[in-house]
Amino acid sequence: MAEKEAVLEEPKISEFTISAKLTGTMAEIEQRTTSLNLFEVKKENDSLILINVESRDIQKNPYLFFIFTIKKDSLSVQYSVAKDTSERLRHLFIIKTLAGMLSLIYDLYQVDGKNFYQHIDSSIDSVLQSLSQSYSTLFGNYDSLLNDYRETKRLNIEFTNSNKALVSRSSALYEENEQLKARLKELESYSDQSLMVMIEDWIESHDSTLDLEEFSKTKRIPQPRVEQILNKMVSLRYIELKG
């Protein structure tokens, strides 16, 4: 079964005309507008036609487009509106684009200000009236979410800085722990014979007494290790415990 070729619905064509006055020359306007690389510029009798094709259909025919026809005493605007888009927003976009173009040739071509401003006013007013309460609520929610985002971003920066400080502190503690482990390993590496000699020297210099806690603290040797050697010395009769 042959597939059907997708066909775009024909766009709606809208147009309007504004009174104007040529104060320069068509040649000057052509030169300026051509330099924009935004329009295809054509001459037709005493008119200058600016064409912008925004998109084409599957047959390569213009689909979305707008045309500004500049005459000595009037400016005509023609544009297409896709079936699935807002006519009001499309009209506002065309007005905005037209204003941008006119600002570049303001000293060569002047439109009727009253007429043009009325178009701008009605276009903006039409769009604003089309905004339902749901849009207003949406914008309100957007502002609220934007504030939440900014607060979250601020907190994230604070947490990031705090995390850096914690990482730095953790690194320092890790280093300190490694040093203590190395020291402990060093102390635990004393041979039994060496510890026996240390204990005997201590007993001799402390009136034949040994305070286990004081000895461990002073010599920085784990107390269980000292107890282990003491038990060994007693079993070997190197020392004798007195009650």
Side-chain angles (χ1 to χ4, degrees), residues 101-113:
M101 187 275 293
L102 289 173
S103 69
L104 297 174
I105 59 172
Y106 70 96
D107 57 332
L108 304 174
Y109 194 75
Q110 298 177 358
V111 296
D112 180 356

Side-chain angles (χ1 to χ4, degrees), residues 31-76:
Q31 183 178 10
R32 288 195 190 177
T33 53
T34 301
S35 65
L36 293 176
N37 294 322
L38 178 64
F39 303 100
E40 177 186 351
V41 182
K42 293 183 178 182
K43 290 181 182 178
E44 187 175 292
N45 299 325
D46 294 331
S47 302
L48 196 64
I49 303 174
L50 311 182
I51 304 170
N52 182 294
V53 178
E54 302 162 272
S55 65
R56 296 178 182 272
D57 61 20
I58 197 168
Q59 285 81 32
K60 305 300 182 182
N61 297 317
Y63 184 71
L64 282 181
F65 62 87
F66 54 88
I67 302 172
F68 301 153
T69 302
I70 299 175
K71 299 180 180 180
K72 292 182 179 180
D73 57 359
S74 66
L75 171 62
S76 298

Side-chain angles (χ1 to χ4, degrees), residues 130-149:
S130 70
L131 295 179
S132 65
Q133 181 61 37
S134 61
Y135 278 102
S136 299
T137 302
L138 179 62
F139 292 144
N141 291 338
Y142 168 78
D143 288 338
S144 177
L145 288 173
L146 180 60
N147 290 332
D148 289 344
Y149 165 75

Side-chain angles (χ1 to χ4, degrees), residues 136-243:
S136 299
T137 302
L138 179 62
F139 292 144
N141 291 338
Y142 168 78
D143 288 338
S144 177
L145 288 173
L146 180 60
N147 290 332
D148 289 344
Y149 165 75
R150 287 171 176 167
E151 178 63 15
T152 301
K153 185 176 181 181
R154 183 187 66 80
L155 291 174
N156 184 59
I157 291 173
E158 290 183 2
F159 289 151
T160 299
N161 292 334
S162 297
N163 185 57
K164 288 180 179 178
L166 288 173
V167 169
S168 178
R169 177 58 179 162
S170 176
S171 178
L173 289 174
Y174 174 81
E175 184 65 24
E176 182 179 349
N177 183 60
E178 288 299 305
Q179 291 176 357
L180 291 174
K181 285 169 64 177
R183 174 61 179 166
L184 178 60
K185 185 176 181 180
E186 178 185 345
L187 293 174
E188 290 180 339
S189 65
Y190 284 138
S191 66
D192 289 359
Q193 191 62 38
S194 297
L195 284 177
M196 288 181 186
V197 172
M198 291 172 63
I199 292 174
E200 288 178 342
D201 289 343
W202 178 279
I203 292 175
E204 289 179 2
S205 61
H206 288 78
D207 298 328
S208 299
T209 61
L210 174 65
D211 187 315
L212 185 60
E213 184 177 350
E214 183 182 357
F215 179 85
S216 297
K217 184 177 181 181
T218 302
K219 300 298 183 179
R220 299 176 67 181
I221 300 174
Q223 191 167 317
R225 173 68 169 152
V226 178
E227 291 177 346
Q228 176 191 5
I229 297 302
L230 279 174
N231 291 333
K232 185 174 182 179
M233 292 176 72
V234 170
S235 65
L236 294 174
R237 299 185 180 278
Y238 287 169
I239 60 175
E240 183 180 340
L241 297 179
K242 296 181 179 180

